Amino acid sequence: MHMSMNSTQLRSSRFSTPNLWVNLKPIKRLVEANALKMEIIPNPKEVDGVKVLQLETAAGAAIRFFEHAIGINVPRSRFLLVKATSDFLLVQSDLYTLVDGFVIRSKARSNPSNPSIELGPEFKKVGNFLARFKSIPSIVELDRLKVSGDVLFGAAIVLKGKVSITAKPGVKLEIPDGAVLENKEINDPEDF
């Protein structure tokens, strides 16, 4: 069976992969023979305030059931993994553009690493994330961003260097349109 993996990273002897390309005929044979024994992985989560237990299987682990299966290591420079809204902020920003189906990094960024972005739980769901931005800030010159609490971003904001924004409980911080925040720590409205 040919099993190729796209967007794969090797971590010791394990695969971490969001994409599998498979020929379904060998899978059908294994399922019909009851030979595809996959481990169940319990994953506790909270959905709309209710604690649930999601049962998962690691599809990449199925590689051991197939002869001649291969994995392809695709370097991080070739793809952008979006698993959280902090990753979504990166790809929606001016740091990357989509050109002919390819994600291209801005040549204006001199730092070879992506900025470190840490968003609080208020930004976790995509709908909440989108509601907190009039437009996505410019982050080409950003090194680190940490945001927590009830924070709203206006339009045409520029973030540079290391920026930390923390709204205290019960306080809403609104970053004004056109603000340029460079190496700034903001904890209340007077910090603008």
Side-chain angles (χ1 to χ4, degrees):
M1 177 197 164
H2 177 72
M3 182 183 218
S4 65
M5 299 183 183
N6 187 6
S7 304
T8 304
Q9 288 182 303
L10 290 174
R11 290 192 192 143
S12 62
S13 62
R14 299 179 310 150
F15 284 110
S16 172
T17 177
N19 297 305
L20 298 174
W21 298 0
V22 299
N23 181 333
L24 295 177
K25 290 177 184 175
I27 292 176
K28 182 180 181 201
R29 283 194 297 272
L30 285 169
V31 169
E32 288 173 348
N34 200 25
L36 194 58
K37 305 286 185 192
M38 300 293 295
E39 294 82 19
I40 302 293
I41 303 165
N43 185 3
K45 291 186 170 194
E46 190 169 313
V47 178
D48 296 328
V50 178
K51 290 184 179 184
V52 297
L53 184 62
Q54 179 175 318
L55 301 177
E56 303 176 348
T57 58
I63 198 169
R64 70 180 183 273
F65 293 105
F66 303 98
E67 293 181 26
H68 311 296
I70 62 169
I72 300 171
N73 184 15
V74 178
R76 286 294 298 233
S77 61
R78 297 277 314 272
F79 72 99
L80 292 170
L81 189 62
V82 177
K83 287 189 156 195
T85 52
S86 55
D87 304 321
F88 188 56
L89 177 59
L90 279 176
V91 300
Q92 291 293 306
S93 75
D94 59 347
L95 186 56
Y96 290 96
T97 55
L98 190 62
V99 178
D100 297 326
F102 291 93
V103 179
I104 307 296
R105 187 172 173 168
S106 172
K107 292 180 179 166
R109 182 164 177 86
S110 57
N111 186 335
S113 299
N114 279 338
S116 168
I117 298 176
E118 184 180 333
L119 301 175
E122 302 80 8
F123 292 81
K124 186 173 183 179
K125 293 185 177 182
V126 173
N128 295 341
F129 169 89
L130 293 172
R132 293 185 173 279
F133 292 94
K134 275 190 189 175
S135 67
I136 300 296
S138 170
I139 63 169
V140 171
E141 297 180 58
L142 180 68
D143 295 319
R144 186 174 196 287
L145 173 65
K146 184 175 182 179
V147 182
S148 61
D150 191 3
V151 178
L152 302 173
F153 288 82
I157 291 171
V158 178
L159 304 175
K160 299 179 179 185
K162 296 177 182 172
V163 177
S164 176
I165 306 167
T166 305
K168 296 173 184 163
V171 174
K172 180 184 288 189
L173 287 179
E174 296 186 35
I175 314 300
D177 293 351
V180 176
L181 305 178
E182 183 171 2
N183 295 319
K184 196 98 167 139
E185 187 171 323
I186 297 171
N187 296 302
D188 62 47
E190 289 90 43
D191 293 337
F192 295 112

